[in-house]
Amino acid sequence: MELSVKTKIGDLLDAYPFLLEYLVKQSPKFSKLENPFLRKTVAAVASVSKAAALGGLDPDDFLAGIAVEIFRKSNDSVTMVNSGGRAEHARGVSREERIEAFKGIVMRLHGGESLDSLRQDFHDLLKDVSPAEVGAMEQRLVAEGIPESEIKKLCNLHVELFTAGSDKPELPPLPDGHPIRTFQAENVLAEEKAANLSTILGGVRDELGYSGARNALKNGVADLAAIIRHYERKENQLFPIMEAHGLTAPPQVMWEIHDDIRAMFKKAQACLESAQHAPAAEAVSELVLAVRDMVFKEERILFPMVFEAFTEGDWRKVRRGEAEIGFAWVDPGNAWLPAEGTAAVGGAAGLIPLDCGRMEPEVINALLKHLPVDMTFVGPDDRVQYFSQTDERIFPRSEGIIGREVSKCHPPKSVHVVEEILARFKSGERDTAEFWIELGGRFIHIRYFAVRRDGRYLGCLEVSQDVTAIRALEGQRRLLDWT
Protein backbone atom coordinates (compact mmCIF):
# COMPACT_ATOMS: atom_id res chain seq x y z
CA MET A 1 0.00 0.00 0.00
CA GLU A 2 1.22 3.52 -0.83
CA LEU A 3 0.86 6.00 2.01
CA SER A 4 1.43 9.76 1.95
CA VAL A 5 0.38 12.85 3.89
CA LYS A 6 -2.38 13.27 1.26
CA THR A 7 -3.95 9.87 2.03
CA LYS A 8 -7.48 10.25 3.42
CA ILE A 9 -8.08 9.12 7.00
CA GLY A 10 -11.43 7.65 5.95
CA ASP A 11 -9.74 5.38 3.39
CA LEU A 12 -7.29 4.18 6.03
CA LEU A 13 -10.05 3.40 8.53
CA ASP A 14 -12.04 1.55 5.88
CA ALA A 15 -9.03 -0.61 5.03
CA TYR A 16 -7.68 -0.95 8.59
CA PRO A 17 -10.40 -0.45 11.25
CA PHE A 18 -7.88 -1.16 14.02
CA LEU A 19 -6.25 2.22 13.25
CA LEU A 20 -9.10 3.97 15.10
CA GLU A 21 -7.73 2.86 18.46
CA TYR A 22 -4.23 3.93 17.45
CA LEU A 23 -5.40 7.40 16.31
CA VAL A 24 -7.29 8.06 19.55
CA LYS A 25 -4.13 7.23 21.51
CA GLN A 26 -2.17 9.80 19.49
CA SER A 27 -4.53 12.68 20.31
CA PRO A 28 -7.88 13.00 22.16
CA LYS A 29 -9.02 15.12 19.20
CA PHE A 30 -9.39 11.89 17.21
CA SER A 31 -11.95 10.47 19.64
CA LYS A 32 -14.58 12.18 17.47
CA LEU A 33 -13.90 9.50 14.86
CA GLU A 34 -15.62 7.00 17.16
CA ASN A 35 -18.84 8.67 15.96
CA PRO A 36 -19.95 6.78 12.78
CA PHE A 37 -21.40 9.99 11.30
CA LEU A 38 -18.08 11.83 11.59
CA ARG A 39 -16.17 8.85 10.20
CA LYS A 40 -18.33 9.01 7.08
CA THR A 41 -18.09 12.77 6.74
CA VAL A 42 -15.00 14.41 8.27
CA ALA A 43 -12.70 11.41 7.86
CA ALA A 44 -13.76 11.03 4.22
CA VAL A 45 -12.15 14.35 3.29
CA ALA A 46 -9.46 14.80 5.96
CA SER A 47 -5.94 13.95 4.80
CA VAL A 48 -3.17 12.65 7.06
CA SER A 49 -1.58 16.13 7.03
CA LYS A 50 -4.86 17.83 8.01
CA ALA A 51 -5.45 15.27 10.76
CA ALA A 52 -1.91 15.83 12.06
CA ALA A 53 -2.52 19.59 12.20
CA LEU A 54 -5.77 19.03 14.08
CA GLY A 55 -4.04 16.79 16.62
CA GLY A 56 -1.01 19.08 16.97
CA LEU A 57 1.28 16.35 15.58
CA ASP A 58 4.20 16.44 13.16
CA PRO A 59 2.84 15.13 9.82
CA ASP A 60 5.92 13.04 8.98
CA ASP A 61 6.07 11.42 12.43
CA PHE A 62 2.31 10.83 12.31
CA LEU A 63 2.59 9.23 8.87
CA ALA A 64 5.47 6.98 9.96
CA GLY A 65 3.56 5.87 13.04
CA ILE A 66 0.53 4.90 10.96
CA ALA A 67 2.76 2.91 8.60
CA VAL A 68 4.34 1.02 11.50
CA GLU A 69 0.94 0.25 13.03
CA ILE A 70 -0.40 -1.09 9.71
CA PHE A 71 2.61 -3.34 9.25
CA ARG A 72 2.51 -4.50 12.89
CA LYS A 73 -1.20 -5.38 12.90
CA SER A 74 -1.69 -6.63 9.33
CA ASN A 75 1.77 -7.49 7.94
CA ASP A 76 0.81 -5.51 4.81
CA SER A 77 3.70 -3.91 2.97
CA VAL A 78 3.54 -0.12 3.22
CA THR A 79 5.40 2.30 0.94
CA MET A 80 5.57 5.89 2.16
CA VAL A 81 5.46 8.38 -0.72
CA ASN A 82 6.97 11.87 -0.37
CA SER A 83 4.09 14.34 -0.57
CA GLY A 84 6.28 16.89 -2.33
CA GLY A 85 4.22 19.66 -0.87
CA ARG A 86 5.85 20.48 2.45
CA ALA A 87 8.71 22.92 2.74
CA GLU A 88 11.90 21.62 4.35
CA HIS A 89 11.94 24.39 6.92
CA ALA A 90 8.63 23.20 8.33
CA ARG A 91 10.02 19.79 9.27
CA GLY A 92 10.75 19.43 12.96
CA VAL A 93 9.18 22.76 13.90
CA SER A 94 7.14 22.18 17.04
CA ARG A 95 3.80 23.78 17.77
CA GLU A 96 5.36 25.84 20.57
CA GLU A 97 7.97 27.20 18.15
CA ARG A 98 5.23 28.10 15.65
CA ILE A 99 3.30 29.93 18.36
CA GLU A 100 6.37 31.92 19.35
CA ALA A 101 7.05 32.78 15.71
CA PHE A 102 3.40 33.82 15.25
CA LYS A 103 3.64 35.99 18.35
CA GLY A 104 6.78 37.60 16.92
CA ILE A 105 4.91 38.51 13.73
CA VAL A 106 2.05 40.09 15.72
CA MET A 107 4.49 42.10 17.83
CA ARG A 108 6.35 43.30 14.72
CA LEU A 109 3.03 44.48 13.32
CA HIS A 110 2.32 46.22 16.64
CA GLY A 111 5.76 47.84 16.40
CA GLY A 112 4.86 49.53 13.13
CA GLU A 113 5.94 47.12 10.38
CA SER A 114 3.64 46.98 7.37
CA LEU A 115 1.53 43.99 6.38
CA ASP A 116 3.44 43.81 3.11
CA SER A 117 6.75 43.34 4.92
CA LEU A 118 5.29 40.54 7.06
CA ARG A 119 3.41 38.73 4.31
CA GLN A 120 6.08 36.22 3.32
CA ASP A 121 7.03 35.30 6.90
CA PHE A 122 3.34 34.84 7.76
CA HIS A 123 2.70 32.57 4.78
CA ASP A 124 5.89 30.55 5.31
CA LEU A 125 4.98 29.94 8.95
CA LEU A 126 1.34 28.97 8.52
CA LYS A 127 0.92 27.54 5.03
CA ASP A 128 0.97 23.94 6.33
CA VAL A 129 -1.26 24.68 9.33
CA SER A 130 -5.01 24.08 9.46
CA PRO A 131 -7.50 26.87 10.25
CA ALA A 132 -8.21 25.15 13.57
CA GLU A 133 -4.57 25.42 14.66
CA VAL A 134 -4.42 29.07 13.59
CA GLY A 135 -7.40 29.65 15.88
CA ALA A 136 -5.64 27.84 18.71
CA MET A 137 -2.54 29.97 18.20
CA GLU A 138 -4.63 33.14 18.35
CA GLN A 139 -6.14 31.82 21.57
CA ARG A 140 -2.71 31.39 23.13
CA LEU A 141 -1.71 34.95 22.25
CA VAL A 142 -4.86 36.44 23.76
CA ALA A 143 -4.28 34.38 26.92
CA GLU A 144 -0.82 35.95 27.10
CA GLY A 145 -2.31 39.45 26.97
CA ILE A 146 -2.08 40.31 23.26
CA PRO A 147 -5.17 42.47 22.41
CA GLU A 148 -7.66 41.05 19.91
CA SER A 149 -7.37 44.32 18.00
CA GLU A 150 -3.73 43.49 17.18
CA ILE A 151 -4.56 39.99 15.94
CA LYS A 152 -7.44 41.45 13.91
CA LYS A 153 -4.88 43.34 11.81
CA LEU A 154 -3.66 40.01 10.42
CA CYS A 155 -7.09 38.98 9.14
CA ASN A 156 -6.36 40.04 5.57
CA LEU A 157 -3.25 37.84 5.59
CA HIS A 158 -5.40 34.97 6.88
CA VAL A 159 -7.69 35.40 3.89
CA GLU A 160 -4.74 35.45 1.48
CA LEU A 161 -3.26 32.36 3.13
CA PHE A 162 -6.39 30.23 2.97
CA THR A 163 -7.48 31.40 -0.50
CA ALA A 164 -4.08 31.00 -2.13
CA GLY A 165 -3.67 27.99 -4.41
CA SER A 166 -6.16 25.18 -4.76
CA ASP A 167 -5.87 23.72 -1.25
CA LYS A 168 -9.22 25.05 -0.07
CA PRO A 169 -10.45 23.45 3.17
CA GLU A 170 -13.00 20.81 2.23
CA LEU A 171 -16.18 20.05 4.12
CA PRO A 172 -18.31 16.98 3.44
CA PRO A 173 -21.81 17.31 1.95
CA LEU A 174 -24.14 18.57 4.67
CA PRO A 175 -27.90 18.02 4.95
CA ASP A 176 -30.43 20.77 4.31
CA GLY A 177 -30.91 22.75 7.50
CA HIS A 178 -27.45 22.08 8.93
CA PRO A 179 -26.27 25.46 10.33
CA ILE A 180 -23.12 25.56 8.19
CA ARG A 181 -25.14 24.87 5.05
CA THR A 182 -27.48 27.76 5.90
CA PHE A 183 -24.54 30.09 6.58
CA GLN A 184 -22.99 29.08 3.27
CA ALA A 185 -26.24 29.66 1.36
CA GLU A 186 -26.47 33.13 2.89
CA ASN A 187 -22.86 33.80 1.88
CA VAL A 188 -23.66 32.94 -1.75
CA LEU A 189 -26.42 35.55 -1.73
CA ALA A 190 -24.25 38.07 0.12
CA GLU A 191 -21.61 37.69 -2.62
CA GLU A 192 -24.25 38.23 -5.32
CA LYS A 193 -25.67 41.32 -3.64
CA ALA A 194 -22.23 42.77 -2.96
CA ALA A 195 -21.21 42.14 -6.58
CA ASN A 196 -24.38 43.86 -7.78
CA LEU A 197 -23.51 46.93 -5.70
CA SER A 198 -20.02 46.94 -7.20
CA THR A 199 -21.51 46.80 -10.70
CA ILE A 200 -23.81 49.75 -10.00
CA LEU A 201 -20.94 51.70 -8.45
CA GLY A 202 -18.69 50.91 -11.42
CA GLY A 203 -21.08 52.74 -13.72
CA VAL A 204 -21.00 55.91 -11.63
CA ARG A 205 -18.37 58.28 -13.02
CA ASP A 206 -19.53 61.70 -11.88
CA GLU A 207 -22.17 63.60 -9.92
CA LEU A 208 -24.73 63.17 -12.70
CA GLY A 209 -24.25 59.41 -12.82
CA TYR A 210 -24.42 59.25 -9.04
CA SER A 211 -27.70 61.14 -9.03
CA GLY A 212 -29.23 58.53 -11.35
CA ALA A 213 -27.81 55.55 -9.44
CA ARG A 214 -28.35 56.84 -5.92
CA ASN A 215 -31.69 55.10 -5.27
CA ALA A 216 -30.33 51.81 -6.60
CA LEU A 217 -27.32 52.11 -4.29
CA LYS A 218 -29.58 52.90 -1.33
CA ASN A 219 -31.74 49.86 -2.05
CA GLY A 220 -28.69 47.66 -2.57
CA VAL A 221 -27.11 48.66 0.73
CA ALA A 222 -30.44 48.18 2.55
CA ASP A 223 -30.80 44.72 1.00
CA LEU A 224 -27.23 43.74 1.86
CA ALA A 225 -27.75 44.91 5.46
CA ALA A 226 -29.66 41.67 6.14
CA ILE A 227 -26.21 40.07 6.48
CA ILE A 228 -26.08 41.64 9.95
CA ARG A 229 -28.60 39.00 11.06
CA HIS A 230 -26.14 36.39 9.77
CA TYR A 231 -23.45 37.92 12.00
CA GLU A 232 -25.80 38.00 14.99
CA ARG A 233 -26.49 34.30 14.54
CA LYS A 234 -22.76 33.61 14.61
CA GLU A 235 -22.35 35.71 17.76
CA ASN A 236 -25.21 34.04 19.61
CA GLN A 237 -25.04 30.49 18.26
CA LEU A 238 -21.50 29.66 17.15
CA PHE A 239 -19.38 31.80 19.45
CA PRO A 240 -20.68 30.41 22.79
CA ILE A 241 -19.91 26.84 21.71
CA MET A 242 -16.52 27.85 20.34
CA GLU A 243 -15.75 29.32 23.77
CA ALA A 244 -16.89 26.07 25.43
CA HIS A 245 -14.28 24.28 23.29
CA GLY A 246 -11.57 26.74 24.38
CA LEU A 247 -11.69 28.82 21.19
CA THR A 248 -12.32 32.19 22.82
CA ALA A 249 -9.94 34.38 20.83
CA PRO A 250 -11.28 33.82 17.28
CA PRO A 251 -14.85 34.85 18.24
CA GLN A 252 -13.61 38.05 19.88
CA VAL A 253 -11.48 38.95 16.86
CA MET A 254 -14.36 38.24 14.46
CA TRP A 255 -16.87 40.14 16.60
CA GLU A 256 -14.68 43.25 16.35
CA ILE A 257 -14.82 42.91 12.57
CA HIS A 258 -18.60 42.51 12.73
CA ASP A 259 -18.78 45.81 14.60
CA ASP A 260 -16.56 47.43 11.98
CA ILE A 261 -18.93 46.26 9.24
CA ARG A 262 -21.99 47.48 11.17
CA ALA A 263 -20.33 50.90 11.37
CA MET A 264 -19.63 50.76 7.64
CA PHE A 265 -23.33 50.13 6.92
CA LYS A 266 -24.28 53.20 8.97
CA LYS A 267 -21.62 55.29 7.25
CA ALA A 268 -22.68 54.16 3.76
CA GLN A 269 -26.35 54.83 4.49
CA ALA A 270 -25.53 58.29 5.86
CA CYS A 271 -23.34 59.15 2.87
CA LEU A 272 -26.07 58.04 0.46
CA GLU A 273 -28.35 60.65 1.98
CA SER A 274 -25.98 63.27 0.62
CA ALA A 275 -25.83 64.40 -2.99
CA GLN A 276 -22.02 64.24 -2.95
CA HIS A 277 -20.64 61.48 -5.13
CA ALA A 278 -17.12 60.85 -3.77
CA PRO A 279 -17.89 60.14 -0.07
CA ALA A 280 -20.79 57.84 -0.99
CA ALA A 281 -18.75 55.90 -3.55
CA GLU A 282 -15.90 55.46 -1.08
CA ALA A 283 -18.21 54.32 1.75
CA VAL A 284 -20.09 51.79 -0.41
CA SER A 285 -16.83 50.42 -1.86
CA GLU A 286 -15.39 49.98 1.63
CA LEU A 287 -18.54 48.20 2.77
CA VAL A 288 -18.65 45.83 -0.20
CA LEU A 289 -15.00 44.87 0.28
CA ALA A 290 -15.50 44.22 4.01
CA VAL A 291 -18.57 42.02 3.48
CA ARG A 292 -16.84 39.96 0.80
CA ASP A 293 -13.73 39.60 2.95
CA MET A 294 -15.89 38.28 5.78
CA VAL A 295 -17.35 35.68 3.42
CA PHE A 296 -13.80 34.50 2.69
CA LYS A 297 -12.92 34.40 6.40
CA GLU A 298 -15.96 32.28 7.17
CA GLU A 299 -15.62 29.87 4.26
CA ARG A 300 -11.87 29.38 4.50
CA ILE A 301 -11.23 29.71 8.24
CA LEU A 302 -14.27 29.79 10.52
CA PHE A 303 -16.39 26.98 9.06
CA PRO A 304 -13.52 24.43 8.79
CA MET A 305 -12.46 25.41 12.32
CA VAL A 306 -15.86 24.87 13.93
CA PHE A 307 -16.63 21.76 11.89
CA GLU A 308 -13.52 20.14 13.31
CA ALA A 309 -14.27 21.29 16.86
CA PHE A 310 -18.04 20.81 17.26
CA THR A 311 -19.83 17.57 18.04
CA GLU A 312 -23.10 16.58 16.40
CA GLY A 313 -24.82 17.51 19.67
CA ASP A 314 -23.26 20.97 19.45
CA TRP A 315 -24.65 21.44 15.95
CA ARG A 316 -28.13 20.43 17.04
CA LYS A 317 -27.93 22.96 19.87
CA VAL A 318 -26.93 25.62 17.33
CA ARG A 319 -29.83 24.62 15.11
CA ARG A 320 -32.42 24.79 17.89
CA GLY A 321 -31.70 28.43 18.66
CA GLU A 322 -31.31 29.81 15.14
CA ALA A 323 -34.93 30.87 14.64
CA GLU A 324 -34.73 33.03 17.78
CA ILE A 325 -32.12 35.17 16.03
CA GLY A 326 -33.39 34.94 12.48
CA PHE A 327 -31.88 34.45 9.04
CA ALA A 328 -30.51 36.54 6.19
CA TRP A 329 -32.52 35.67 3.06
CA VAL A 330 -32.41 31.89 3.70
CA ASP A 331 -34.87 30.22 6.09
CA PRO A 332 -34.26 26.47 6.51
CA GLY A 333 -37.74 25.95 7.95
CA ASN A 334 -37.98 22.63 9.79
CA ALA A 335 -35.11 20.93 7.95
CA TRP A 336 -32.69 19.15 10.32
CA LEU A 337 -34.56 20.65 13.29
CA PRO A 338 -34.24 18.48 16.43
CA ALA A 339 -37.36 17.89 18.50
CA GLU A 340 -37.81 20.16 21.48
CA GLY A 341 -37.41 18.44 24.85
CA THR A 342 -40.26 18.84 27.30
CA ALA A 343 -39.29 20.14 30.70
CA ALA A 344 -40.56 18.41 33.82
CA VAL A 345 -42.89 20.50 35.98
CA GLY A 346 -42.31 19.21 39.48
CA GLY A 347 -44.80 17.18 41.51
CA ALA A 348 -48.58 17.07 41.50
CA ALA A 349 -48.93 20.36 43.31
CA GLY A 350 -46.08 21.86 41.30
CA LEU A 351 -46.50 25.32 42.83
CA ILE A 352 -43.57 27.67 43.34
CA PRO A 353 -43.84 29.61 46.62
CA LEU A 354 -43.36 33.35 46.08
CA ASP A 355 -43.26 36.25 48.54
CA CYS A 356 -46.96 36.76 47.92
CA GLY A 357 -48.78 33.70 46.61
CA ARG A 358 -47.84 30.57 44.67
CA MET A 359 -47.85 29.84 40.95
CA GLU A 360 -47.17 26.95 38.62
CA PRO A 361 -43.83 27.12 36.75
CA GLU A 362 -45.60 27.30 33.38
CA VAL A 363 -47.62 30.29 34.61
CA ILE A 364 -44.49 32.06 35.82
CA ASN A 365 -42.84 31.40 32.46
CA ALA A 366 -45.89 32.70 30.58
CA LEU A 367 -46.07 35.77 32.82
CA LEU A 368 -42.43 36.64 32.14
CA LYS A 369 -42.99 36.20 28.40
CA HIS A 370 -45.88 38.68 28.49
CA LEU A 371 -44.02 41.50 30.19
CA PRO A 372 -43.55 44.42 27.73
CA VAL A 373 -39.80 44.44 28.32
CA ASP A 374 -36.74 42.48 27.25
CA MET A 375 -35.04 40.89 30.30
CA THR A 376 -31.77 39.01 30.82
CA PHE A 377 -30.54 37.73 34.19
CA VAL A 378 -26.88 37.13 34.98
CA GLY A 379 -26.05 35.10 38.09
CA PRO A 380 -23.46 35.93 40.77
CA ASP A 381 -20.84 34.02 38.72
CA ASP A 382 -21.38 36.50 35.83
CA ARG A 383 -22.90 33.82 33.61
CA VAL A 384 -26.24 34.18 31.84
CA GLN A 385 -28.96 32.16 33.59
CA TYR A 386 -32.11 33.39 31.88
CA PHE A 387 -33.57 35.66 29.23
CA SER A 388 -37.22 36.40 28.50
CA GLN A 389 -38.66 35.10 25.23
CA THR A 390 -41.07 37.95 24.70
CA ASP A 391 -42.58 39.60 21.65
CA GLU A 392 -41.01 42.81 22.97
CA ARG A 393 -37.49 41.50 22.35
CA ILE A 394 -35.15 44.28 21.25
CA PHE A 395 -31.75 42.62 21.16
CA PRO A 396 -31.36 39.11 19.65
CA ARG A 397 -30.95 36.24 22.11
CA SER A 398 -30.94 32.46 21.80
CA GLU A 399 -30.46 29.54 24.18
CA GLY A 400 -26.82 29.44 23.08
CA ILE A 401 -26.00 32.21 25.60
CA ILE A 402 -27.27 30.27 28.63
CA GLY A 403 -24.26 29.56 30.82
CA ARG A 404 -22.09 31.98 28.85
CA GLU A 405 -19.93 34.60 30.57
CA VAL A 406 -21.77 37.90 30.20
CA SER A 407 -18.55 39.67 29.15
CA LYS A 408 -18.55 37.46 26.04
CA CYS A 409 -22.10 38.62 25.18
CA HIS A 410 -21.00 42.21 24.51
CA PRO A 411 -18.79 43.72 21.82
CA PRO A 412 -15.13 43.78 22.93
CA LYS A 413 -15.03 47.60 23.06
CA SER A 414 -17.76 47.75 25.74
CA VAL A 415 -16.72 44.75 27.87
CA HIS A 416 -14.79 46.90 30.37
CA VAL A 417 -17.93 48.94 31.10
CA VAL A 418 -20.00 45.81 31.77
CA GLU A 419 -17.30 44.46 34.07
CA GLU A 420 -17.15 47.78 35.96
CA ILE A 421 -20.95 47.80 36.47
CA LEU A 422 -20.90 44.24 37.84
CA ALA A 423 -17.96 45.00 40.12
CA ARG A 424 -19.80 47.98 41.63
CA PHE A 425 -22.97 45.96 42.04
CA LYS A 426 -21.10 43.21 43.89
CA SER A 427 -19.32 45.68 46.16
CA GLY A 428 -22.63 47.33 47.05
CA GLU A 429 -21.42 50.68 45.73
CA ARG A 430 -24.17 50.85 43.09
CA ASP A 431 -27.59 49.26 42.64
CA THR A 432 -28.57 50.51 39.17
CA ALA A 433 -27.11 51.66 35.88
CA GLU A 434 -29.18 53.39 33.21
CA PHE A 435 -28.66 54.10 29.51
CA TRP A 436 -30.72 55.09 26.49
CA ILE A 437 -29.98 54.87 22.79
CA GLU A 438 -31.66 55.48 19.44
CA LEU A 439 -31.84 52.34 17.33
CA GLY A 440 -33.48 52.19 13.93
CA GLY A 441 -35.61 55.22 14.68
CA ARG A 442 -36.74 53.81 18.04
CA PHE A 443 -35.84 55.13 21.51
CA ILE A 444 -34.52 52.29 23.69
CA HIS A 445 -34.26 52.54 27.49
CA ILE A 446 -31.77 50.11 29.09
CA ARG A 447 -31.43 49.54 32.83
CA TYR A 448 -29.29 47.22 34.96
CA PHE A 449 -30.39 46.27 38.47
CA ALA A 450 -28.37 44.58 41.22
CA VAL A 451 -30.62 41.78 42.51
CA ARG A 452 -30.17 41.18 46.23
CA ARG A 453 -31.86 39.09 48.92
CA ASP A 454 -31.21 39.93 52.57
CA GLY A 455 -28.17 41.89 51.45
CA ARG A 456 -26.72 38.98 49.46
CA TYR A 457 -25.92 39.66 45.81
CA LEU A 458 -27.81 37.19 43.59
CA GLY A 459 -27.01 38.63 40.19
CA CYS A 460 -27.76 41.37 37.69
CA LEU A 461 -31.03 41.95 35.82
CA GLU A 462 -30.88 43.76 32.48
CA VAL A 463 -34.18 45.32 31.38
CA SER A 464 -34.52 46.91 27.94
CA GLN A 465 -37.66 48.61 26.69
CA ASP A 466 -38.75 50.39 23.54
CA VAL A 467 -40.19 53.60 24.99
CA THR A 468 -40.74 55.42 21.71
CA ALA A 469 -44.53 55.34 22.02
CA ILE A 470 -44.40 56.12 25.75
CA ARG A 471 -42.35 59.27 25.15
CA ALA A 472 -44.91 60.45 22.61
CA LEU A 473 -47.87 60.23 25.02
CA GLU A 474 -49.73 63.44 25.84
CA GLY A 475 -52.69 64.35 28.03
CA GLN A 476 -54.32 61.44 29.79
CA ARG A 477 -56.32 58.31 29.11
CA ARG A 478 -58.18 56.87 32.10
CA LEU A 479 -59.37 53.33 32.62
CA LEU A 480 -62.95 54.35 31.97
CA ASP A 481 -61.87 55.68 28.57
CA TRP A 482 -60.97 52.19 27.38
CA THR A 483 -63.29 50.62 24.82
Side-chain angles (χ1 to χ4, degrees):
M1 175 184 184
E2 288 191 348
L3 186 63
S4 79
V5 291
K6 294 184 178 180
T7 302
K8 303 300 184 186
I9 294 294
D11 293 341
L12 289 173
L13 291 175
D14 288 343
Y16 305 105
F18 57 77
L19 282 177
L20 177 59
E21 182 180 356
Y22 173 78
L23 294 175
V24 173
K25 287 180 180 178
Q26 303 311 301
S27 170
K29 291 278 190 180
F30 299 139
S31 61
K32 295 179 182 179
L33 295 175
E34 293 172 343
N35 182 320
F37 172 77
L38 293 181
R39 279 204 303 277
K40 292 179 181 178
T41 54
V42 177
V45 298
S47 64
V48 169
S49 62
K50 290 291 177 68
L54 173 63
L57 306 171
D58 179 84
D60 291 330
D61 293 343
F62 185 48
L63 185 68
I66 291 173
V68 170
E69 187 71 5
I70 291 174
F71 179 77
R72 188 170 68 85
K73 291 283 185 70
S74 69
N75 288 324
D76 284 0
S77 176
V78 179
T79 301
M80 289 195 295
V81 180
N82 190 318
S83 68
R86 299 185 66 241
E88 289 298 322
H89 72 85
R91 298 178 185 274
V93 177
S94 70
R95 183 173 183 177
E96 288 299 317
E97 290 172 324
R98 284 199 297 271
I99 290 173
E100 285 303 309
F102 187 41
K103 181 178 179 180
I105 290 173
V106 174
M107 296 312 295
R108 285 164 59 192
L109 182 64
H110 181 61
E113 287 194 43
S114 68
L115 284 175
D116 285 341
S117 67
L118 296 170
R119 178 175 282 101
Q120 190 58 53
D121 288 346
F122 183 86
H123 283 223
D124 287 345
L125 174 66
L126 299 178
K127 68 182 180 181
D128 293 314
V129 175
S130 73
E133 186 172 351
V134 172
M137 294 167 75
E138 290 180 349
Q139 174 63 34
R140 276 284 300 274
L141 296 193
V142 171
E144 293 179 13
I146 305 297
E148 292 95 339
S149 57
E150 294 301 313
I151 299 173
K152 184 180 73 173
K153 295 176 183 177
L154 291 172
C155 279
N156 287 339
L157 295 187
H158 286 180
V159 173
E160 290 180 12
L161 176 67
F162 291 109
T163 55
S166 59
D167 191 21
K168 176 182 177 180
E170 297 180 47
L171 294 179
L174 298 169
D176 288 342
H178 189 287
I180 285 185
R181 183 156 180 176
T182 305
F183 279 122
Q184 290 176 325
E186 290 176 335
N187 276 344
V188 169
L189 293 174
E191 280 276 16
E192 290 178 2
K193 295 173 189 298
N196 182 56
L197 270 172
S198 293
T199 300
I200 297 171
L201 203 58
V204 176
R205 303 296 182 188
D206 50 29
E207 299 295 334
L208 182 60
Y210 170 62
S211 177
R214 190 167 153 200
N215 281 338
L217 290 170
K218 280 185 179 182
N219 292 336
V221 169
D223 189 18
L224 185 59
I227 196 66
I228 292 174
R229 191 65 72 192
H230 174 106
Y231 301 154
E232 289 172 342
R233 219 165 64 251
K234 285 162 57 183
E235 293 162 357
N236 285 272
Q237 295 300 101
L238 293 187
F239 291 179
I241 298 178
M242 291 177 72
E243 292 158 7
H245 283 279
L247 297 169
T248 59
Q252 292 300 297
V253 172
M254 190 162 278
W255 199 338
E256 284 213 5
I257 302 172
H258 290 173
D259 283 347
D260 291 344
I261 295 175
R262 290 183 181 104
M264 289 177 197
F265 270 108
K266 291 180 180 179
K267 179 181 177 182
Q269 289 165 338
C271 288
L272 286 169
E273 292 300 319
S274 167
Q276 295 183 350
H277 161 239
E282 181 181 354
V284 174
S285 295
E286 181 185 45
L287 171 64
V288 166
L289 179 61
V291 169
R292 300 185 81 171
D293 277 353
M294 179 55 73
V295 170
F296 277 118
K297 291 176 175 71
E298 291 177 3
E299 298 287 338
R300 303 293 183 127
I301 303 172
L302 177 67
F303 296 158
M305 182 189 298
V306 295
F307 192 81
E308 288 180 1
F310 287 16
T311 66
E312 186 174 3
D314 290 332
W315 285 118
R316 294 196 176 276
K317 184 177 180 181
V318 172
R319 180 70 183 95
R320 276 199 307 274
E322 287 186 316
E324 283 284 338
I325 307 303
F327 303 93
W329 312 298
V330 177
D331 187 342
N334 291 323
W336 210 72
L337 185 63
E340 290 283 348
T342 54
V345 187
L351 297 178
I352 304 294
L354 305 171
D355 283 354
C356 295
R358 296 166 177 259
M359 286 194 292
E360 295 177 349
E362 64 177 292
V363 175
I364 295 175
N365 190 53
L367 184 152
L368 292 171
K369 289 176 69 172
H370 282 76
L371 290 175
V373 292
D374 177 345
M375 299 190 303
T376 302
F377 181 71
V378 176
D381 60 353
D382 296 342
R383 292 183 180 274
V384 178
Q385 291 187 2
Y386 166 82
F387 67 89
S388 59
Q389 294 176 304
T390 170
D391 291 338
E392 303 294 328
R393 175 149 303 287
I394 297 166
F395 302 108
R397 298 279 190 275
S398 73
E399 67 173 359
I401 69 168
I402 300 299
R404 190 183 191 191
E405 291 182 25
V406 68
S407 62
K408 300 293 194 305
C409 298
H410 291 265
K413 61 187 176 186
S414 63
V415 166
H416 68 286
V417 180
V418 175
E419 293 175 340
E420 178 68 13
I421 290 171
L422 293 176
R424 295 194 182 192
F425 281 3
K426 291 177 182 179
S427 70
E429 180 183 346
R430 296 284 291 271
D431 289 317
T432 63
E434 188 175 28
F435 310 93
W436 49 93
I437 60 174
E438 293 188 359
L439 186 66
R442 313 298 291 175
F443 195 89
I444 309 300
H445 189 209
I446 305 166
R447 288 173 290 176
Y448 294 86
F449 300 93
V451 179
R452 308 184 196 279
R453 180 79 174 186
D454 299 327
R456 181 167 60 95
Y457 177 73
L458 302 179
C460 170
L461 177 66
E462 177 191 34
V463 179
S464 302
Q465 185 176 11
D466 182 348
V467 296
T468 309
I470 295 175
R471 294 179 80 216
L473 292 176
E474 295 180 353
Q476 60 182 3
R477 182 183 182 184
R478 296 177 178 272
L479 182 60
L480 292 176
D481 296 331
W482 185 83
T483 57

